[in-house]
Amino acid sequence: MKTVTMADVAKQANVSKSTVSQYLNKRYDYMGEKTKARIEQAIKELGYQPNIVARSLKQKSTKTIGVIVANILHNFSTEVSRAIEDVCHKADFHTIICNADDDPDKEKKYIEMLRAKQVDGLIIFPTGNNRDLYRKMLDQNYPVVFVDRSVPDIPISSIMLENEKASELAVDYFAKKGHERIAMITTPMNENVSSRVERLEGYQRALQSHGLDVREDYMRSIDPDQVEGILEEMLALDQPPQAILAGNDLILKEVLTFSKLHHFKIGEDLSVIGIDDVPYASFYSPSITTIAQPTFKMGKMAGELLLDKINKKSTADQRPDYHFEPTLMVRESVKDNKED
Amino acid sequence: MKTVTMADVAKQANVSKSTVSQYLNKRYDYMGEKTKARIEQAIKELGYQPNIVARSLKQKSTKTIGVIVANILHNFSTEVSRAIEDVCHKADFHTIICNADDDPDKEKKYIEMLRAKQVDGLIIFPTGNNRDLYRKMLDQNYPVVFVDRSVPDIPISSIMLENEKASELAVDYFAKKGHERIAMITTPMNENVSSRVERLEGYQRALQSHGLDVREDYMRSIDPDQVEGILEEMLALDQPPQAILAGNDLILKEVLTFSKLHHFKIGEDLSVIGIDDVPYASFYSPSITTIAQPTFKMGKMAGELLLDKINKKSTADQRPDYHFEPTLMVRESVKDNKED
DNA sequence: CTGAAAGCGCTTACAG
DNA sequence: CTGAAAGCGCTTACAG
């Protein structure tokens, strides 16, 4: 596999490397037609492929960005990533996606790795626990955009859902359908991660606005694998909840598994709404009412914002965060208690 | 963002660049303890991060591989990719994943892009329609491994499912449960893509071995968005099928959507098996009987094989293809016609 | 035990 | 209109 280099092309075409380089970069301004033709010919004959690594070294730009998602298992992450890829692709940027697996150490490793690879900027779904690193990048004026969560005291713009609104939409809908005992289950809280906290706050506030009790035993923040146990507990209460708000897709999955296992009929024995519009929501039986995030728009925004920072070198953020509106997708998993 | 380079570290530590480089590459053999300490100190003070791009240029290795999946929408692709990533990660290789979107032109573009980026090897779920390119890489002795499909006359090893066996398992199980009219729906055939053809062949052969008719009107290869129409046709036949084998996850999804829409009860009015163990199979109602591919093993094998080729430079393939066994995951979506 | 020098394959002023 | 030269930030024989 002897590699063909620009020097080979130059020799073959009887011009200098500079001229070949000009040609490749389409700076034809003053290039003779015959020269052009000869170079083209030589490139074809030799099967020359430019070495982007060499170019990147010289230009100090790899035309590549990195995306570090907190946890690739969330549907949200993959959907947003694909939108980011779309935007970057159109701008001739490549995208490298890494999965921090909710582990700050992995996140750190990936940030360092990607920066060593000279990516031109980073989109991070932050674990929240690498504050020093985040700050360092900020200080260095390195282009970064956050997604899904903001980090207290780190003024890097974040592309987020209106999380409180998401819970409100769900609770409002439950209430409208005559539910009074509404529980919420989310994944564990991390004080450095805004979104989960906000969803819980929205849930509480919405309950209050409907004059419903906020009960500690209806509010649980736990790992997905503990959902089954928790649901058993909840549903064995004197006053079991009539409705469950699942804080994200992983929790929803566990709720559905539980109800199948224990023969609770969703939409009859138990009403359910999930935050995140999971792919199977529409063809599940019964179909699942969800709160959808505008993942495509959010990813697009994140990509555009980062590319702006990269191009304009104005990495300072004009505004703190970008909040996107959630949408209620009404389907069949909420019983209508008002009907009878 | 003035970047700190090796030269800066060298100056600060009062040694030469060479020595710093040795240090970074852990060639301590003859290095004085105090030198080591001074370098370490300088690196910390300056916050030096090596530039991998420069290293790659010199070493002619990026320690990165590319993965080009035919269509990222298939669950199979993402699962295999993650296994590949795991293996590479352990070997200190990075992974760049691209989606050809079933489009040979995109595939071509990505192959060229990744090679221009000097990735050390490629794992491809081939569209099958870039034969010249595949052959060129083979001729150049460039490390490549195929996944999911082999390409006729291109002796590049492929990591594949025993596709015929997959269909056989499904048909055998349908037959065992007393079904006689068994249909199969797959995505469109491409003569250059082995797996879909093999699945259909396995289906036909299995029918014959059970003495069942092979009917043209029970065998359809169509785009997912046409499944609804086709199912309407099939189920309006004088002798409608009792069972449907969905050739992959996208088809399965359409079958489920159809049955929901038209109120066919899966596992009662219509039995279903899907090839690919979709994530929601176990908690769907009814849970879905599937044929699982050992995606993790397959990805691991693909990664290991590629890394072998990269390291040993023996890119010639010892054996043609690697076939992995499918597994029947018995759940509830097949009716037992023998019971009554 | 450490340093000077060449070179990886490009790009980019600058000169002519 | 085109070429010679320097340089991007590393690594690696080789010399001492």
Side-chain angles (χ1 to χ4, degrees):
Chain A
M1 227 185 85
K2 45 137 218 253
T3 54
V4 180
T5 121
M6 208 154 98
D8 300 325
V9 176
K11 194 184 298 171
Q12 176 100 345
N14 244 303
V15 296
S16 75
K17 285 194 298 171
S18 327
T19 308
V20 177
S21 178
Q22 315 268 40
Y23 173 85
L24 288 173
N25 292 295
K26 309 212 191 304
R27 288 200 232 283
Y28 300 137
D29 311 342
Y30 301 99
M31 197 171 300
E33 276 306 324
K34 0 81 197 172
T35 317
K36 240 193 274 189
R38 258 185 302 143
I39 296 176
E40 201 179 328
Q41 168 80 359
I43 288 177
K44 203 166 283 170
E45 277 173 22
L46 299 171
Y48 169 70
Q49 293 271 88
N51 180 329
I52 293 190
V53 172
R55 169 185 298 168
S56 298
L57 176 59
K58 182 64 191 180
Q59 289 190 158
K60 292 167 154 270
S61 156
T62 51
K63 294 272 241 169
T64 302
I65 68 152
V67 177
I68 303 174
V69 302
N71 188 336
I72 193 91
L73 289 178
H74 286 296
N75 227 281
F76 175 74
S77 314
T78 45
E79 290 182 13
V80 172
S81 300
R82 296 201 54 202
I84 293 172
E85 250 180 331
D86 271 8
V87 173
C88 290
H89 189 254
K90 277 175 197 141
D92 259 318
F93 270 71
H94 302 134
T95 311
I96 299 179
I97 295 172
C98 302
N99 175 25
D101 218 7
D102 283 328
D103 177 348
D105 290 337
K106 278 201 194 174
E107 180 183 48
K108 181 167 189 229
K109 229 193 77 201
Y110 279 127
I111 291 176
E112 288 172 347
M113 179 278 265
L114 288 168
R115 294 205 57 187
K117 277 192 158 248
Q118 311 299 113
V119 299
D120 296 341
L122 241 28
I123 293 176
I124 304 177
F125 297 48
T127 62
N129 290 337
N130 278 309
R131 306 178 52 84
D132 294 349
L133 243 184
Y134 306 146
R135 183 160 293 289
K136 185 176 149 200
M137 294 191 282
L138 198 59
D139 290 346
Q140 289 175 146
N141 222 24
Y142 181 76
V144 181
V145 170
F146 283 157
V147 173
D148 191 43
R149 313 150 169 191
S150 62
V151 181
D153 302 323
I154 306 283
I156 292 177
S157 279
S158 183
I159 308 299
M160 306 204 297
L161 186 69
E162 280 182 38
N163 284 296
E164 301 201 10
K165 181 84 176 284
S167 305
E168 276 171 40
L169 279 177
V171 172
D172 286 355
Y173 186 70
F174 279 139
K176 181 175 149 199
K177 292 295 179 184
H179 294 66
E180 296 184 340
R181 301 193 305 280
I182 303 167
M184 177 167 193
I185 304 181
T186 66
T187 31
M189 292 298 148
N190 169 338
E191 57 198 14
N192 282 319
V193 164
S194 55
S195 52
R196 292 172 188 166
V197 179
E198 289 166 3
R199 288 185 191 173
L200 249 194
E201 284 173 357
Y203 159 78
Q204 297 177 31
R205 178 164 342 138
L207 286 180
Q208 286 162 351
S209 82
H210 287 283
L212 299 172
D213 285 349
V214 175
R215 297 175 50 157
E216 284 299 324
D217 50 3
Y218 280 8
M219 269 167 47
R220 307 300 292 262
S221 294
I222 47 172
D223 275 327
D225 58 7
Q226 296 179 55
V227 169
E228 185 177 354
I230 292 295
L231 276 174
E232 270 182 49
E233 269 179 40
M234 272 193 195
L235 294 169
L237 290 171
D238 283 349
Q239 300 256 312
Q242 306 157 295
I244 308 269
L245 173 55
N248 62 42
D249 54 347
L250 301 185
I251 300 288
L252 175 64
K253 179 187 161 185
E254 296 302 327
V255 173
L256 298 180
T257 303
F258 173 89
S259 67
K260 181 171 177 60
L261 223 60
H262 297 260
H263 306 288
F264 282 89
K265 287 213 157 189
I266 300 286
E268 296 183 26
D269 307 332
L270 190 63
S271 291
V272 170
I273 294 182
I275 298 183
D276 286 334
D277 194 34
V278 293
Y280 56 82
S282 62
F283 61 89
Y284 198 85
S285 297
S287 59
I288 310 292
T289 298
T290 63
I291 308 294
Q293 305 197 43
T295 51
F296 185 78
K297 278 192 208 165
M298 292 169 77
K300 186 158 177 279
M301 182 77 224
E304 287 171 353
L305 191 57
L306 184 67
L307 292 176
D308 271 5
K309 289 189 181 188
I310 291 173
N311 293 325
K312 299 184 188 158
K313 292 291 166 204
S314 76
T315 56
D317 284 306
Q318 329 297 337
R319 47 180 284 187
D321 294 316
Y322 295 73
H323 291 276
F324 285 74
E325 275 217 31
T327 317
L328 176 70
M329 308 293 286
V330 174
R331 298 202 185 88
E332 309 163 339
S333 61
V334 176
K335 184 181 177 189
D336 193 341
N337 285 333
K338 293 262 169 92
E339 251 174 4
D340 30 35
Chain B
M1 226 184 85
K2 46 136 215 253
T3 53
V4 180
T5 119
M6 210 156 97
D8 301 324
V9 176
K11 194 185 297 172
Q12 175 101 346
N14 245 304
V15 296
S16 76
K17 284 193 299 168
S18 326
T19 309
V20 177
S21 177
Q22 316 267 41
Y23 172 86
L24 288 174
N25 292 295
K26 309 211 191 308
R27 289 199 230 283
Y28 300 137
D29 312 340
Y30 301 101
M31 198 171 299
E33 277 306 324
K34 1 81 198 174
T35 317
K36 241 193 275 190
R38 258 185 303 143
I39 295 176
E40 200 179 330
Q41 168 79 0
I43 287 176
K44 202 166 283 171
E45 277 174 20
L46 299 171
Y48 169 70
Q49 293 272 88
N51 180 330
I52 293 191
V53 172
R55 168 185 299 168
S56 299
L57 177 59
K58 182 66 191 177
Q59 291 191 158
K60 291 166 158 273
S61 156
T62 51
K63 294 272 243 169
T64 302
I65 68 152
V67 177
I68 303 175
V69 302
N71 189 336
I72 193 94
L73 290 177
H74 287 295
N75 227 280
F76 175 73
S77 315
T78 44
E79 290 181 14
V80 172
S81 300
R82 296 201 53 202
I84 294 172
E85 251 180 329
D86 271 8
V87 173
C88 290
H89 188 254
K90 277 175 197 142
D92 259 319
F93 269 72
H94 302 133
T95 310
I96 300 180
I97 295 171
C98 302
N99 175 24
D101 218 6
D102 283 327
D103 178 348
D105 290 338
K106 279 200 193 171
E107 180 183 46
K108 180 166 189 229
K109 229 193 77 202
Y110 279 127
I111 291 176
E112 288 172 348
M113 180 276 266
L114 288 168
R115 293 205 56 187
K117 277 192 158 242
Q118 311 298 114
V119 299
D120 295 340
L122 240 30
I123 292 176
I124 305 177
F125 298 48
T127 63
N129 290 336
N130 277 309
R131 306 178 52 84
D132 294 350
L133 243 183
Y134 306 147
R135 184 159 292 289
K136 185 176 150 199
M137 295 191 282
L138 197 59
D139 291 345
Q140 289 176 146
N141 223 23
Y142 181 75
V144 180
V145 170
F146 283 157
V147 172
D148 191 42
R149 313 152 170 191
S150 61
V151 181
D153 302 324
I154 306 282
I156 292 176
S157 279
S158 182
I159 308 298
M160 307 205 296
L161 184 69
E162 280 182 35
N163 284 296
E164 300 200 11
K165 181 85 175 284
S167 304
E168 276 171 40
L169 280 177
V171 172
D172 287 355
Y173 186 70
F174 278 140
K176 182 174 150 199
K177 292 294 180 184
H179 294 67
E180 298 184 338
R181 300 193 306 279
I182 303 166
M184 176 166 193
I185 303 181
T186 67
T187 31
M189 293 297 147
N190 171 337
E191 56 197 15
N192 283 318
V193 164
S194 54
S195 51
R196 290 171 189 167
V197 178
E198 290 165 3
R199 288 185 191 172
L200 248 194
E201 284 172 358
Y203 158 78
Q204 296 177 31
R205 180 168 334 143
L207 286 182
Q208 286 161 352
S209 82
H210 288 283
L212 299 172
D213 285 348
V214 175
R215 299 175 49 158
E216 284 299 323
D217 50 2
Y218 280 8
M219 269 168 47
R220 306 300 292 263
S221 294
I222 48 173
D223 275 326
D225 58 6
Q226 294 178 55
V227 169
E228 185 177 354
I230 292 295
L231 277 173
E232 270 181 49
E233 268 178 42
M234 271 193 196
L235 293 170
L237 290 172
D238 282 350
Q239 300 254 314
Q242 306 157 296
I244 307 269
L245 172 54
N248 62 44
D249 55 345
L250 301 185
I251 299 288
L252 175 64
K253 180 188 159 185
E254 296 302 326
V255 173
L256 297 179
T257 303
F258 173 90
S259 67
K260 182 171 175 62
L261 222 60
H262 296 261
H263 306 288
F264 282 88
K265 287 213 157 188
I266 299 286
E268 296 183 25
D269 307 331
L270 190 62
S271 292
V272 171
I273 295 181
I275 298 183
D276 286 334
D277 194 36
V278 293
Y280 56 81
S282 62
F283 61 88
Y284 198 84
S285 297
S287 59
I288 309 293
T289 298
T290 61
I291 308 293
Q293 305 198 43
T295 51
F296 185 79
K297 279 192 208 164
M298 291 169 78
K300 185 157 176 278
M301 182 77 225
E304 287 171 353
L305 192 57
L306 185 67
L307 292 176
D308 272 4
K309 289 190 182 189
I310 291 173
N311 293 326
K312 299 185 190 157
K313 292 292 167 203
S314 76
T315 57
D317 284 305
Q318 329 298 337
R319 48 180 283 187
D321 293 317
Y322 296 73
H323 290 277
F324 285 74
E325 275 217 32
T327 316
L328 176 70
M329 308 293 286
V330 174
R331 299 201 184 88
E332 308 164 337
S333 62
V334 176
K335 184 181 177 188
D336 194 341
N337 286 332
K338 295 261 170 92
E339 250 176 5
D340 30 34

